C-alpha cells in the first residue's frame, strides 16, 4: 500500500490543522504558510495525486471542491478571492494530494509568478 499523503494524515486527524469545514467528500483547512490574509486549502478525501490524474469518475468530486471553496470563502468574509490549483512540480505543486488554494483579503496581482 502506498504511503499516506500529508493531507490524508490531516484528514485522519493524525496531524493537527485549523479545519474550517469538512464533509464526506472533502476538508478545508488553513494553509500553514499563508500567502494572503485568508489562505485555505480544499482537499478531497480521495487522495488524487494531481489534477492531471483526475478522471471522469472524479467529475462530482471536482465540482464539489469548487462549490465548497466558494462557500467557505464566503464564510471567511470574502467577496473576492482567487482559486489556484498547482498541478505538477514545475507548476509549484509540493504536496501530491490534489488541493485548491483559496486566497483573499488583499489585492491579488496578475499574472501570478
Ligand atoms: P502546493 O505547493 O500547491 O502543493 O501547496 C501545498 C500547500 O500546503 C502549501 O501552501 C503549504 O504551505 C501547505 N501546507 C504544507 N503543510 C501543511 C500543513 N501541515 N498544514 C497546512 N498547510 C500545509
Amino acid at each position: 500500500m502506498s504511503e499516506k499523503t500529508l493531507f490524508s494524515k490531516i484528514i485522519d486527524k493524525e496531524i493537527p490543522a485549523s479545519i474550517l469545514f469538512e464533509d464526506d467528500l472533502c476538508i478545508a483547512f488553513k494553509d500553514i504558510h499563508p500567502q494572503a490574509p485568508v489562505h485555505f486549502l480544499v482537499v478531497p478525501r480521495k487522495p488524487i495525486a494531481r489534477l492531471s490524474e483526475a478522471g471522469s469518475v472524479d467529475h462530482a468530486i471536482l465540482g464539489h471542491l469548487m462549490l465548497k471553496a466558494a462557500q467557505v470563502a464566503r464564510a471567511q468574509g470574502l467577496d473576492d478571492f482567487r482559486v489556484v490549483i498547482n498541478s505538477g512540480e514545475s507548476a509549484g505543486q509540493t504536496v501530491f494530494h490534489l488541493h485548491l488554494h483559496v486566497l483573499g483579503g488583499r489585492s491579488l496581482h496578475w499574472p501570478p509568478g
Side-chain angles (χ1 to χ4, degrees):
M1 209 176 86
S2 59
E3 179 80 6
K4 248 188 191 184
T5 71
L6 172 66
F7 292 164
S8 288
K9 290 177 184 169
I10 288 176
I11 288 165
D12 291 343
K13 312 284 162 58
E14 293 168 13
I15 291 178
S18 181
I19 296 171
L20 302 172
F21 174 85
E22 60 183 320
D23 65 12
D24 55 335
L25 289 180
C26 73
I27 186 169
F29 53 88
K30 292 185 181 177
D31 195 291
I32 204 166
H33 294 125
Q35 302 301 315
V38 178
H39 182 182
F40 64 88
L41 306 174
V42 186
V43 181
R45 289 185 184 277
K46 180 178 176 181
I48 300 163
R50 48 187 282 180
L51 183 59
S52 57
E53 289 183 19
S56 50
V57 68
D58 300 312
H59 194 268
I61 292 176
L62 296 179
H64 189 78
L65 296 176
M66 296 286 277
L67 291 170
K68 292 304 166 186
Q71 180 186 308
V72 177
R74 279 194 304 273
Q76 290 295 299
L78 299 178
D79 288 325
D80 299 344
F81 53 90
R82 180 174 292 168
V83 178
V84 173
I85 298 174
N86 298 322
S87 184
E89 215 169 296
S90 66
Q93 187 173 7
T94 58
V95 178
F96 283 80
H97 184 148
L98 174 66
H99 50 283
L100 279 60
H101 293 260
V102 182
L103 302 119
R106 66 170 169 85
S107 288
L108 297 165
H109 304 288
W110 193 263

